[in-house]
Amino acid sequence: MTNRRKFITQAVLGGLGLSIGQAAKGATNGQSVTALPTVISTWNNLPANKKAWKVIKKGGSALDAVEQGVRVAEADPDDMSVGYGGRPDRDGKVTLDACIMDQEGNCGSVCFLQDIKHPISVARLVMEKTPHVMLAGEGALQFALENGFHRENLLTDKAAKSWEEWKQESHYQPVINIENHDTIGMLAIDKDGKLSGACTTSGAAFKLHGRVGDSPIVGAGLFVDNEVGAAVATGLGEAVVKTAGSFLVVELMRQGRSPQAACEEAIRRITSKQKGYQDFQVAFLAVNREGIIGAHAIHKGFMYALSREGGHEVVQASSSL
Ligand code: ASP
């Protein structure tokens, strides 16, 4: 995985130069750049970003863009932390978490959902068709089936093999580092300046059956406030939940911090209060309503995909360690 990331990053950075990433930083320094519209997402899923960008370029909404974008990751069997092909829990079940939030603060979420390939679209329906925010497990599945989704086996041979290998030792160490996750959190600002976000994951590999992480929890894995900006998290969900991470980043921006400073402070909260942070990864990615981006992680290796006028690229984020 690391090698794949390294290769793609180098290929993309080498091909495009740092133009749009530098533009993001330049904006932080007050230089003028064309920062909007913008699509950003955790890690290096350029196909997902490109899909979202296409929606925005056609005049689509940020909400449609993030849903369509992360569906690319959900359908990708090689993405072993999201949707189809995701690593199972320790009982061999693929259980999925996702949430979505729009410019008006509407949000929808599903957690502990099984057998449905596109939890993000179910989350959107929860937002649009129910008076609730979150549906879990059997109830989420029932709701999905009633709304036209179909049951599918999401456990690929590759993911089953990694579970078989894990079972030989079956140490339950829910450590999430740069080697074992690619959860996608995506934020977009459309041509009308509207912000939306989506986050979708199969969660920690080989987790306890029933474990839910930060990704479907509004305020932890994702938060959007169109007056200020938006943030997403990736990494060890338990650590993110304990600090209400994405909400914290947005609130820090509201108080005047730049997106970068807000992400750094949210990571500092984790490293100053939570034991064992040397052994797990958490990263935040944020954008304010002007399209200025911040990204910071505990450990080196976090990166994000950025799409703007001028191209798509993968940008390395800063880290505390
Ligand atoms: N945050 C996700 C979780 O804890 C995992 C990840 O980002 O890879 O479920």
Side-chain angles (χ1 to χ4, degrees), residues 43 81 97 176 180-183 201-204 211-215 233-238 240:
W43 304 107
S81 297
D97 299 336
I176 292 183
N180 66 0
H181 69 128
D182 306 85
T183 288
T201 188
S202 52
R211 180 265 190 188
V212 170
D214 60 316
S215 306
T234 181
L236 187 66
E238 285 76 1
V240 177

Side-chain angles (χ1 to χ4, degrees), residues 52 61-71 100 186-188 196-198:
S61 67
L63 184 65
D64 286 339
V66 294
E67 181 192 4
Q68 292 302 318
V70 302
R71 279 175 63 102
I100 193 160
M186 181 178 281
L187 306 172
S196 290

